[in-house]
Amino acid sequence: MKKYLFLLLLAAGAPAAAQPAGPLAASLGSVKLAFALNAAGQPTYSVAYGQKPVVNASRLGIALADGPGFDGPLVLLGSERKDADDTWQPVWGEVKDIRDHYQQLTVHLRQAAAPGRRLDVVFRVFADGVGFRYEFPRQLALGNFVVSDELTEFALPADHQAFWIPGDYDTNEYYYTHSRLSAVDGAPQVKASTEIAVREAPDPQAVATPLMLKADDGLYVNIHEAAQVDYPALQLHVDRASHRLTARLVPDAVGNKAFLHAPCRTPWRTIIVSDRAPDILASKLILNLNEPSKIADTGWIKPMKFVGVWWEMQIGRTDWKYANSADTLDARGQLIPTGRHGANTANVKRYIDFAARHGIAGVLVEGWNVGWEDWFGNWKENVFDFVTPYPDFDVQQISRYAKAKGVQMIMHNETSGAATNYEQHFDTAYQFMNKYGYPAVKTGYVGRIIPRGEHHDGQWMSNHFVRVAKAAARYRVVVDMHEAVRPTGLSRTYPNWMASEAGRGNEYNAFSTGSPPDHETIMPFTRLMGGPMDYTPGIFKLKNYEPTGKRQVRTTLAKQLALYVTMYSPLQMAADLPENYEQHLDAFQFIADVPVDWDDTRILAAEPGDYLTTVRKAKGKDEWYLGSITDENARQQPVKLDFLTPGQRYEAILYADGKGADWQKNPTAYQITKRVVTSKLVLTLKLAPGGGAAVSFRPVGK
């Protein structure tokens, strides 16, 4: 048997006769891919959409730390092409069914010189783009190896408009810049973004993915990645003269990019393209490139809305910590309370009562556990144990009270960046959640990462986030990860990984200059391309909500409602304080009504940086919910109602910007109207500067 295995491995590592160098091709619809070895034996690819170039001939390859890599010269051993067309159903999501239709081209390559290592490049061509990845077959010449660089390029044909944030190793929480590629320079923004706790962006011409591009010839192009597992996050270095983008991988603590062992593979590099902006948002290419669910029984995974003890701490009304410092002790050695601790039993009950009255399923509580007096800034490993509450948080009483009210509690596990400490506490933390009936947890990684020297978006942490999803699944807990690597469609493989932050959320309106009015029109084309975001919408008090009185949320109230449709998440927070909602319960009704799981989604109108109108069909119901938003400019948005069932009458409740509404001068002006509509009608939505509109459609006469 051992001799037989040896012969198999020997055959796997043996050179084969080279085939001609191409070109090889694959296509579907308007999307065409070509592969070839250039004169130097370097692998290249190109992508076209109809007659328009998307990516000109661009290098492929992987550089290794230990000897010759896959940067050429290589020889072509062979290739295969196959077609696939299937349909699958997500556990939750924006649509009920997803079609997975592609043509696949697999290219087998070998180093021309010894040791003759082999590499496969796999391309999948969809009607809306291309995905490709590197695969390393089992072979004697390649066991354990270290990736020192990835040589993937995207040679763009022109100086496109780009929507980008700096390529930072530790954060994706910058606001977006809209510029030509030739103007990319992230250094000033990185330096100025002092509200972001941890920043490391050594290359001023590096941008994060997803990168949204618009060509002057009318094409929209989105570049990202899918199924990022056991590999660092992809960033792109912009050559401002040639408009060539080159892969930049987030390094580990010793400067390498990835430690691998063949057989293995990289994440998919994704290019989504269309001549219509709505098609970019409707694409399921990234989800399709991820593996099916590794969780066999998914019946316990339930989307939900929630309120929480959170915004009041963000705006400085209360605090996470119980005492002023870890050394503020009384004669018995006990912490002396400040009286400002938000996560106290009475206050939590207030949120539970509000949730119960309005049919909100969950309540999140941050700052409930000991450790917040010394949690940030010291690169400290053992900060939290994830099971010990402060003296004023009666976990047993709160759990009983919530259960009696029909409300579920959502756990909060802040790690202060100490991923090692969290991993040591996985079992005790999730057993604690099971004991007290917490079906969901929000995790956090504020601060520098431990293991020291690792980055939020490096290989080690990418694997950590997967380990969190797996550990939570063992205990039937769903996860919302903050300060995590930006999503790449892994919610298909681990459907309990329901949401992430990994972007500039609504919280920045609490403690910084906030985000500009066009921010939410860009985010769906960038951050949300890889998966849902816990954006925390629903702020109703848009001015004078924090001590200085100088900050304001740069939207109207109606736009905050619309975000529940345009910014998708199956874990969706109503982020403001109960008392602020109680002053506008007529508007809050939309938040109470809007679902978090859908059978259908249609992008009716979209332009990155300008406007977005999305309509969604509720799971298992003939009900539709629409959100429409704009940037700083007022707009009139016509909406054809042909998505409604023909012949059926619907009551449309329209939550719109009111007379004189304006995000700067009059953000809380709104009006609510009702009318009966059919699929033959057209609504015209009047959006104020920084404004929006939300509409619910429910059948009449059923």
Side-chain angles (χ1 to χ4, degrees):
M1 182 65 185
K2 290 182 179 178
K3 182 179 179 182
Y4 178 67
L5 179 60
F6 173 76
L7 291 173
L8 278 178
L9 291 172
L10 187 63
Q19 293 186 0
L24 303 170
S27 64
L28 189 62
S30 298
V31 180
K32 299 176 177 61
L33 170 119
F35 170 88
L37 294 176
N38 64 19
Q42 298 167 334
T44 68
Y45 78 101
S46 61
V47 178
Y49 185 82
Q51 300 302 311
K52 297 179 180 180
V54 178
V55 177
N56 290 330
S58 300
R59 284 278 307 278
L60 296 167
I62 299 285
L64 305 184
D66 52 345
F70 298 100
D71 49 352
L74 303 178
V75 294
L76 179 67
L77 299 181
S79 65
E80 299 96 41
R81 194 166 59 193
K82 72 172 186 179
D83 296 297
D85 194 354
D86 195 12
T87 300
W88 59 279
Q89 291 74 41
V91 175
W92 46 262
E94 299 177 89
V95 294
K96 182 180 180 180
D97 299 298
I98 295 177
R99 186 183 184 190
D100 187 12
H101 183 204
Y102 60 87
Q103 184 170 93
Q104 178 170 302
L105 171 67
T106 302
V107 180
H108 305 289
L109 302 168
R110 177 177 56 79
Q111 293 169 336
R117 293 166 169 167
R118 292 183 294 116
L119 171 71
D120 293 342
V121 185
V122 181
F123 300 91
R124 287 186 183 173
V125 181
F126 299 81
D128 57 356
V130 174
F132 62 90
R133 71 180 176 193
Y134 304 97
E135 297 188 355
F136 305 91
R138 188 183 302 277
Q139 53 195 293
L140 292 177
L142 192 66
N144 294 300
F145 63 100
V146 178
V147 174
S148 60
D149 216 349
E150 183 176 324
L151 308 176
T152 305
E153 294 179 342
F154 304 83
L156 301 174
D159 188 11
H160 295 335
Q161 297 181 56
F163 298 83
W164 59 274
I165 58 174
D168 195 302
Y169 298 165
D170 284 295
T171 182
N172 294 275
E173 297 183 3
Y174 297 97
Y175 61 80
Y176 283 87
T177 297
H178 178 197
S179 75
R180 295 283 181 176
L181 286 167
S182 58
V184 167
D185 180 2
Q189 187 181 6
V190 173
K191 183 178 180 180
S193 299
T194 55
E195 73 275 14
I196 300 176
V198 178
R199 312 187 300 285
E200 185 164 346
D203 181 357
Q205 288 170 236
V207 297
T209 65
L211 174 65
M212 186 65 210
L213 302 166
K214 183 180 180 182
D216 291 344
D217 64 6
L219 284 186
Y220 297 85
V221 180
N222 185 278
I223 300 175
H224 190 31
E225 59 180 322
Q228 186 213 338
V229 177
D230 198 25
Y231 207 75
L234 173 68
Q235 298 178 353
L236 300 168
H237 173 82
V238 180
D239 185 318
R240 295 184 296 190
S242 69
H243 320 128
R244 185 179 297 269
L245 313 178
T246 306
R248 289 289 187 269
L249 302 179
V250 175
D252 64 14
V254 294
N256 291 310
K257 304 306 192 304
F259 285 78
L260 301 174
H261 185 282
C264 57
R265 58 203 184 194
T266 70
W268 297 91
R269 280 63 191 97
T270 63
I271 304 167
I272 300 173
V273 58
S274 179
D275 51 11
R276 296 181 63 255
D279 293 344
I280 303 295
L281 300 183
S283 175
K284 296 296 179 283
L285 182 151
I286 289 173
L287 279 176
N288 277 327
L289 289 171
N290 278 267
E291 294 183 8
S293 174
K294 291 182 179 292
I295 302 172
D297 176 13
T298 59
W300 53 273
I301 300 174
K302 303 293 185 184
M304 70 163 72
K305 281 175 288 190
F306 63 97
V307 295
V309 184
W310 174 76
W311 184 249
E312 65 180 65
M313 296 181 285
Q314 294 285 355
I315 62 177
R317 177 176 292 193
T318 59
D319 205 341
W320 286 268
K321 65 180 183 288
Y322 178 77
N324 277 324
S325 75
D327 299 317
T328 309
L329 306 174
D330 61 20
R332 297 175 299 161
Q334 303 297 311
L335 290 171
I336 300 173
T338 63
R340 299 190 70 253
H341 183 226
N344 65 77
T345 301
N347 194 33
V348 172
K349 286 184 175 180
R350 187 169 69 92
Y351 281 84
I352 293 172
D353 289 342
F354 178 83
R357 283 197 303 272
H358 299 287
I360 304 298
V363 173
L364 166 75
V365 181
E366 295 197 11
W368 67 276
N369 56 322
V370 298
W372 289 90
E373 289 76 20
D374 185 24
W375 75 284
F376 174 74
N378 295 317
W379 221 357
K380 181 178 175 181
E381 186 165 15
N382 298 307
V383 178
F384 301 108
D385 68 8
F386 311 102
V387 296
T388 305
Y390 279 121
D392 62 346
F393 184 88
D394 189 331
V395 63
Q396 294 181 347
Q397 183 184 155
I398 287 169
S399 295
R400 289 195 300 267
Y401 191 81
K403 185 176 181 180
K405 294 278 188 172
V407 173
Q408 294 180 305
M409 298 301 298
I410 297 176
M411 178 55 65
H412 182 238
N413 284 170
E414 175 58 57
T415 69
S416 69
T420 49
N421 182 51
Y422 193 39
E423 293 200 8
Q424 292 164 19
H425 289 85
F426 274 168
D427 290 322
T428 53
Y430 291 112
Q431 287 168 4
F432 185 86
M433 296 177 212
N434 286 173
K435 179 179 179 180
Y436 291 105
Y438 287 73
V441 60
K442 172 184 175 181
T443 63
Y445 296 85
V446 177
R448 292 180 291 175
I449 293 297
I450 300 175
R452 293 180 178 89
E454 296 292 343
H455 295 290
H456 287 74
D457 288 1
Q459 182 188 24
W460 197 94
M461 282 302 293
S462 293
N463 288 341
H464 167 79
F465 298 128
V466 172
R467 289 193 289 270
V468 171
K470 289 180 176 179
R474 290 198 299 271
Y475 292 95
R476 297 197 163 199
V477 172
V478 304
V479 187
D480 168 15
M481 301 194 203
H482 279 230
E483 294 83 34
V485 66
R486 74 283 182 279
T488 59
L490 284 169
S491 58
R492 179 185 182 186
T493 309
Y494 304 101
N496 69 316
W497 186 350
M498 299 186 80
S500 299
E501 183 189 37
R504 190 179 183 89
N506 234 356
E507 67 182 7
Y508 276 84
N509 292 301
F511 53 77
S512 76
T513 54
S515 302
D518 66 355
H519 184 62
E520 292 93 350
T521 70
I522 299 171
M523 292 285 274
F525 289 94
T526 50
R527 160 59 187 81
L528 275 84
M529 290 298 297
M533 181 178 183
D534 183 15
Y535 187 71
T536 63
I539 303 303
F540 276 17
K541 190 167 186 179
L542 301 163
K543 287 185 174 183
N544 300 315
Y545 49 81
E546 46 81 41
T548 71
K550 297 179 180 179
R551 299 187 175 106
Q552 73 173 98
V553 181
R554 300 181 185 184
T555 75
T556 65
L557 189 150
K559 185 174 181 177
Q560 289 289 315
L561 297 179
L563 296 178
Y564 284 89
V565 180
T566 63
M567 302 281 282
Y568 175 64
S569 178
L571 291 177
Q572 193 70 279
M573 189 178 194
D576 211 340
L577 311 182
E579 54 266 39
N580 292 339
Y581 287 138
E582 285 165 352
Q583 295 179 29
H584 305 282
L585 286 178
D586 54 351
F588 184 79
Q589 189 61 47
F590 184 82
I591 297 177
D593 290 341
V594 67
V596 286
D597 199 11
W598 307 98
D599 274 343
D600 195 10
T601 292
R602 315 240 184 124
I603 312 301
L604 304 184
E607 181 63 32
D610 291 340
Y611 56 84
L612 172 61
T613 300
T614 303
V615 66
R616 306 184 192 270
K617 185 176 184 290
K619 179 69 70 176
K621 298 179 180 179
D622 187 19
E623 295 180 4
W624 294 79
Y625 293 81
L626 182 146
S628 184
I629 62 174
T630 184
D631 59 2
E632 69 278 6
N633 298 305
R635 300 182 191 277
Q636 291 197 27
Q637 179 62 60
V639 176
K640 293 182 179 180
L641 303 186
D642 53 5
F643 53 84
L644 298 175
T645 302
Q648 175 64 50
R649 299 166 69 243
Y650 293 81
E651 181 185 60
I653 305 177
L654 173 61
Y655 303 78
D657 291 319
K659 184 177 180 180
D662 182 289
W663 74 266
Q664 287 179 293
K665 302 173 183 177
N666 193 14
T668 56
Y670 65 91
Q671 58 184 358
I672 302 173
T673 57
K674 297 180 181 180
R675 59 180 295 190
V676 174
V677 299
T678 68
S679 63
K680 296 181 179 181
L681 296 181
V682 176
L683 288 181
T684 299
L685 306 176
K686 296 181 180 180
L687 312 179
V695 189
S696 63
F697 301 90
R698 290 178 169 176
V700 175
K702 279 192 175 181

